[in-house]
Amino acid sequence: EERVFSGIQPTGIPHLGNYLGALESWVRLQGQHGSVLYSIVDLHSITVPQDPARLRTSVLDVAASLIACGIDPERSILFQQSQVSEHTELCWVLGCLTSIPRLRHLPQWKQTKSNRKNEGSVGLFAYPILQAADILLYKSTHVPVGEDQIQHLELAQDTARIFNQKYGDCFPIPQPLLSVTRKVKSLRDPTSKMSKSDPRKLATVNITDTPDDIRLKFRKAVTDFTSEVTFDPENRPGVSNLVAIHAAVTGQTVEEVVHQSEGLETAQYKHVVAEAVIQKFSPIRAEVQRLRADAGYLEKVLSRGAEKAKERASVVYQEVRRRIGFS
Ligand code: TYM
């Protein structure tokens, strides 16, 4: 039986990288046997400072975005992480099985450490343990994520093994599911990933950007001095990123897209890609706007989702308690 779990941080409207790296697969995996849970991970988001009012809106914005992208609360369980207290409880248990050196080289911590010179909270350091708890709490078997989450997933696998060894077979070893477009690059710097926290305004395309914004961002996308459409991520990361995006939003292969675009100059090609992205996201954008206006509905979806998640989480956590000797 397959049990799917994944999460997204409530730090604003999701972007093209979230969509192509994860959300598209989330939608496809719904309605399977077993369970499918998707969580808006607000506990993870407070590992760096958040404004309370903005966090509250962000949770609802992300809920609206997920539903607009095709997450159906009837076919999957959509919930807010902090509403299911077992996430934090299991996090503590798993934290007691995790060594400090094992966490030191994981991405979230390394990134902050290099950005802010040794600042960073205990919560940020323990971030990957909470992520392992999210996954293991539902005895998940499959975790659809982008490439940037692989190291976190390896920690979840290690943690499951350590727990099983100490307390008996409890958790399956969760497997990552990577989409074809496992890493969408920044439009301003095709050697780094597209990210919500990128301060450069033109680097990140949100799924609710207006057609004009999308055209501008692609027009300004950093490429190279060869004016030709080829797919060569090593030597031509900029154009290759555009090709990968183009293929993904039109549901074609990279080869098909390159073949079709033979003879186009890069400037013309950017226009083609922008239009394809606009076409893909126009209906989603309209739907997000409609849903955002109905906070009551979104809150209802989340609290119903939390009830269903809690039912499952509490069964597993009871087993954990028993195995540890708490009850
Ligand atoms: P987050 O919120 O940063 O991103 C959500 C999902 O989007 C993927 N993603 C990308 N994929 C391709 N290209 C990109 N440029 C790109 N940027 C983001 C991420 O890989 C992710 O799948 N730690 C997680 C949230 C989390 C989680 C979990 C995930 C918490 N608990 C349990 C899976 C299972 C995160 O910060 O994702």
Side-chain angles (χ1 to χ4, degrees):
E1 186 172 272
E2 292 196 352
R3 285 181 300 272
V4 175
F5 182 94
S6 200
I8 182 168
Q9 294 200 55
T11 38
I13 296 281
H15 56 69
L16 195 55
N18 297 133
Y19 184 83
L20 297 178
L23 305 186
E24 214 173 30
S25 342
W26 291 19
V27 172
R28 208 162 0 88
L29 289 163
Q30 293 180 107
Q32 294 213 342
H33 292 295
S35 58
V36 182
L37 292 103
Y38 298 126
S39 185
I40 301 171
V41 293
D42 50 355
L43 295 169
H44 277 103
S45 71
I46 63 161
T47 54
V48 295
Q50 300 290 341
D51 172 67
R54 274 192 58 186
L55 180 55
R56 205 169 303 126
T57 338
S58 236
V59 169
L60 296 183
D61 281 352
V62 171
S65 302
L66 295 179
I67 296 168
C69 288
I71 299 300
D72 174 358
E74 299 301 321
R75 290 163 71 223
S76 52
I77 298 176
L78 175 61
F79 72 104
Q80 185 180 344
Q81 185 189 31
S82 65
Q83 289 187 5
V84 180
S85 56
E86 283 83 355
H87 286 254
T88 347
E89 294 181 80
L90 183 59
C91 177
W92 178 261
V93 171
L94 301 181
C96 296
L97 301 173
T98 311
S99 78
I100 290 172
R102 179 67 181 83
L103 294 178
R104 244 181 223 138
H105 302 290
L106 294 182
Q108 229 82 20
W109 180 251
K110 247 177 36 191
Q111 213 177 317
T112 313
K113 241 183 80 177
S114 58
N115 289 350
R116 300 184 218 175
K117 299 206 179 73
N118 282 325
E119 274 180 47
S121 61
V122 172
L124 187 76
F125 190 64
Y127 180 110
I129 305 175
L130 180 59
Q131 183 159 347
D134 295 341
I135 295 167
L136 301 185
L137 187 54
Y138 303 95
K139 298 198 175 186
S140 310
T141 56
H142 292 86
V143 186
V145 285
E147 193 177 74
D148 60 312
Q149 295 301 314
I150 290 296
Q151 282 174 283
H152 289 154
L153 220 84
E154 285 166 359
L155 180 84
Q157 296 176 332
D158 288 353
T159 312
R161 287 193 194 98
I162 294 169
F163 187 97
N164 290 349
Q165 205 160 38
K166 199 167 161 70
Y167 298 114
D169 233 6
C170 179
F171 298 118
I173 308 304
Q175 302 302 323
L177 293 175
L178 286 171
S179 66
V180 181
T181 330
R182 46 184 65 187
K183 187 169 181 182
V184 176
K185 313 288 175 18
S186 156
L187 294 187
R188 294 310 295 166
D189 170 13
T191 61
S192 66
K193 70 164 179 173
M194 185 176 283
S195 143
K196 276 184 230 182
S197 55
D198 197 319
R200 296 166 295 192
K201 269 216 195 103
L202 301 176
T204 306
V205 175
N206 289 335
I207 62 167
T208 57
D209 276 354
T210 64
D212 280 347
D213 281 341
I214 295 174
R215 283 188 196 106
L216 175 69
K217 288 175 183 178
F218 279 97
R219 192 164 70 235
K220 301 270 182 178
V222 170
T223 47
D224 52 30
F225 297 106
T226 311
S227 191
E228 188 194 350
V229 181
T230 59
F231 187 72
D232 178 2
E234 280 283 300
N235 300 306
R236 303 193 65 202
V239 175
S240 304
N241 189 37
L242 299 183
V243 170
I245 292 172
H246 187 194
V249 298
T250 57
Q252 293 171 288
T253 64
V254 159
E255 291 74 24
E256 284 169 337
V257 159
V258 171
H259 183 69
Q260 248 173 47
S261 313
E262 240 169 82
L264 288 187
E265 287 171 17
T266 310
Q268 295 170 309
Y269 185 59
K270 287 177 176 175
H271 185 72
V272 171
V273 179
E275 294 307 316
V277 170
I278 290 168
Q279 197 165 25
K280 175 82 187 178
F281 288 117
S282 286
I284 292 177
R285 176 165 174 261
E287 187 62 3
V288 174
Q289 273 166 350
R290 193 182 69 78
L291 289 163
R292 269 172 122 177
D294 196 350
Y297 167 74
L298 296 171
E299 276 159 8
K300 212 154 60 207
V301 166
L302 291 180
S303 66
R304 182 80 192 95
E307 267 172 44
K308 291 194 250 176
K310 180 115 190 155
E311 255 171 48
R312 289 169 163 74
S314 63
V315 174
V316 176
Y317 191 63
Q318 279 314 313
E319 179 184 343
V320 167
R321 286 179 52 96
R322 208 170 58 238
R323 285 181 183 276
I324 295 177
F326 285 172
S327 63

